Amino acid sequence: MAAPKAETAESLFNSLGASYEEAYADNPVLIDFIKSIAEKLPPKSNVLDVGSGTGKPVSHLLASAGHAVHGIDVSAEMIRLAASQVPSGIYRQADMTTYQPPYKMDAAFAVLSMFQLTPGEVVAQMYRFAEWVRVGGFVALCVIPSTALNPQNIEYDPTWDAVWTIGKEWMGSITNESFFSEEGWVRILKQAGFVLEDEPVSYLFSPIGREKQLPEGHYCLLARRVEEMPLFGPFPLPSKERVSGTASGTCAQGLKVLSQQRLVSKGLEDLVKELGEKEVFILGEKGQGNWSDDSTKQLPLDAIPSGAAETVLAPWVLANAADIDKTMSELARVARSLIVIVQGAPDNEVVNLINPVIRSSPIAHQGHILQSAWESLIKQGFGEISVHRIGARFEFPEKDVSQRCASAAEFLIGLWHGDHPQKEGLKKFLEHRLRLFFHGHEHSIGFDMVAVVAVRPN
């Protein structure tokens, strides 16, 4: 029997409104936790309340401490309530998975606000927090760890080492929720470039009106951003020796990945449109590339004249380079003005789905590749280097779940390991994981990328 259809976070919290505050705002341990962080922050810090709800207790406490509060929530009703209760705050209805703050924050708070995210979205959100706060800034979380749940009501997700509750009844509504263990939260924060600032706080809490039910286990963490480039994660970066052994698991199609019909990406479209007005050399997977008016003509990189192209584009191919430094030197020699490197984001869901299944020949660590390319560009004299996230996803519109899982597994294994001797078994293995994955996003899998854009100085 299929689980009842879960409500979206927006409709859920629109319907809850002030009743959520009545149940959860009077939380003495959480209040002390927020107050301690408010005192730790520099005076008049810019702080972001992610999933701000009614504004109490988080926004209210931070504003009372003299900080400049920004708040976002997916619910219009919650935004209305927060703005009325914390008039000094700046509130905006927004989805945390697509939001971009106006400037770097001193701290971001996500208090009991990420349950409706999928495990993959939670991991991605840690990287977004790292992008949103300054180096040395903080992220403060309050969550319910998976260890506090009734084991009879959960389903383990091996892709993320997390658990789901599917079709959970909560405050009169049906939700799908995801949870990490205490160790899991510390792990994903570390991978995104944070370190714990203080010892986490663990306690039991009974929401008002639900005292007869089992209390909730709450877990509060404060972490400080220490990594300069969070999109080069997950951290810690592997050794060069370890990376060099993964070439067989790299994507062998390069630009073909970006031209798949299932791929949807406004950011990629914008990048291609911008490059379309330039003279571009595209590096292929074998160190060759399209050159001259004949787009089918492939020439080795070292056969291209110096300064022959205005722009060089290297899409998903640097993992195949035996020596990234040497390849980047050649790209710098060919490009007159611009080099664009495109690889996977650290939270790329496709990579995270495939690597635990393949194991012996995983897709190479994308952040290590990007870090190596960045360092090489600096050596080549490129001073103006920017890093951008490119949002992207593969879509699977098949209505039947079994067919959708089979199509997605066939497609994903084919991209990286189409010649694998155990391909059929790998596809079946991946199908089972996708059945759980599609509870979160019924018809898409995230394929976020990172573009490193280097401009040659005049």
Side-chain angles (χ1 to χ4, degrees), residues 262 350 353-354 357-358 394-396 398 401-418 420 422-435 437-438 445:
R262 291 185 182 271
V350 170
L353 275 165
I354 290 178
V357 173
I358 298 297
F394 286 120
E395 292 196 336
F396 301 92
E398 293 84 354
V401 175
S402 296
Q403 182 184 356
R404 189 187 319 146
C405 292
S407 296
E410 172 79 28
F411 176 79
L412 297 181
I413 294 297
L415 277 182
W416 271 270
H417 298 85
H420 197 288
Q422 296 175 301
K423 180 176 71 172
E424 295 306 315
L426 294 174
K427 287 192 295 185
K428 290 296 182 184
F429 195 30
L430 186 55
E431 280 183 44
H432 291 295
R433 297 194 175 206
L434 287 167
R435 188 171 289 274
F437 179 92
F438 283 132
I445 302 176

Side-chain angles (χ1 to χ4, degrees), residues 332-364:
R333 181 183 61 79
V334 172
R336 292 198 303 274
S337 64
L338 195 68
I339 294 177
V340 180
I341 309 298
V342 177
Q343 294 287 158
D347 45 33
N348 184 296
E349 289 185 328
V350 170
V351 174
N352 281 284
L353 275 165
I354 290 178
N355 275 353
V357 173
I358 298 297
R359 292 189 176 273
S360 60
S361 54
I363 300 166

Side-chain angles (χ1 to χ4, degrees), residues 44 100 131 134 142 158 176 202 248 251 255 300 349 396 411 439 449:
K44 299 181 180 179
Q100 285 295 330
E131 293 176 69
R134 60 175 174 80
C142 183
N176 293 338
S202 185
S248 61
C251 176
L255 191 62
E349 289 185 328
F396 301 92
F411 176 79
H439 272 295
M449 295 171 276

Side-chain angles (χ1 to χ4, degrees), residues 114 118-127 139 141 143-148 156-163 178-196 200 219-221 223 234-235 352:
M114 293 187 289
T118 69
E121 286 176 328
V122 171
V123 170
Q125 196 61 44
M126 298 306 106
Y127 290 97
V139 61
L141 309 178
V143 300
I144 295 178
S146 60
T147 54
Y156 180 63
D157 188 338
T159 298
W160 309 99
D161 194 19
V163 303
S178 66
F179 303 83
F180 288 80
S181 68
E182 291 91 340
E183 293 79 7
W185 281 106
V186 174
R187 182 188 74 247
I188 62 177
L189 281 166
K190 182 178 180 181
Q191 289 174 340
F194 290 97
V195 296
L196 289 185
Y219 190 61
C220 299
L221 306 97
F235 301 99
N352 281 284

Side-chain angles (χ1 to χ4, degrees), residues 168-328:
K168 173 186 174 182
E169 193 281 327
W170 181 72
M171 294 190 74
S173 297
I174 300 298
T175 69
N176 293 338
E177 299 180 352
S178 66
F179 303 83
F180 288 80
S181 68
E182 291 91 340
E183 293 79 7
W185 281 106
V186 174
R187 182 188 74 247
I188 62 177
L189 281 166
K190 182 178 180 181
Q191 289 174 340
F194 290 97
V195 296
L196 289 185
E197 181 72 5
D198 296 317
E199 188 70 22
V201 177
S202 185
Y203 64 99
L204 292 176
F205 173 74
S206 294
I208 303 300
R210 301 177 65 196
E211 292 85 357
K212 293 183 179 181
Q213 300 182 27
L214 289 174
E216 296 177 352
H218 288 187
Y219 190 61
C220 299
L221 306 97
L222 178 65
R224 177 168 44 88
R225 178 184 166 186
V226 295
E227 295 290 346
E228 183 72 28
M229 306 297 289
L231 288 177
F232 291 173
F235 301 99
L237 295 181
S239 66
K240 290 184 179 180
E241 290 77 14
R242 182 180 170 194
V243 170
S244 65
T246 63
S248 61
T250 60
C251 176
Q253 285 106 341
L255 191 62
K256 291 180 182 179
V257 172
L258 306 188
S259 60
Q260 295 292 324
Q261 290 186 349
R262 291 185 182 271
L263 183 64
V264 177
S265 175
K266 176 65 165 57
L268 185 62
E269 290 176 3
D270 292 342
L271 176 62
V272 171
K273 185 182 297 183
E274 180 181 345
L275 296 181
E277 300 175 358
K278 304 178 185 295
E279 182 184 37
V280 181
F281 170 81
I282 303 174
L283 182 65
E285 72 274 6
K286 296 180 181 179
Q288 298 180 327
N290 294 334
W291 181 246
S292 79
D293 293 334
D294 181 2
S295 62
T296 65
K297 186 177 181 181
Q298 297 281 309
L299 290 177
L301 181 56
D302 58 10
I304 304 298
S306 297
E310 182 180 1
T311 299
V312 171
L313 171 64
W316 280 89
V317 294
L318 284 187
N320 291 341
D323 185 330
I324 289 182
D325 242 3
K326 182 177 179 181
T327 300
M328 295 305 300

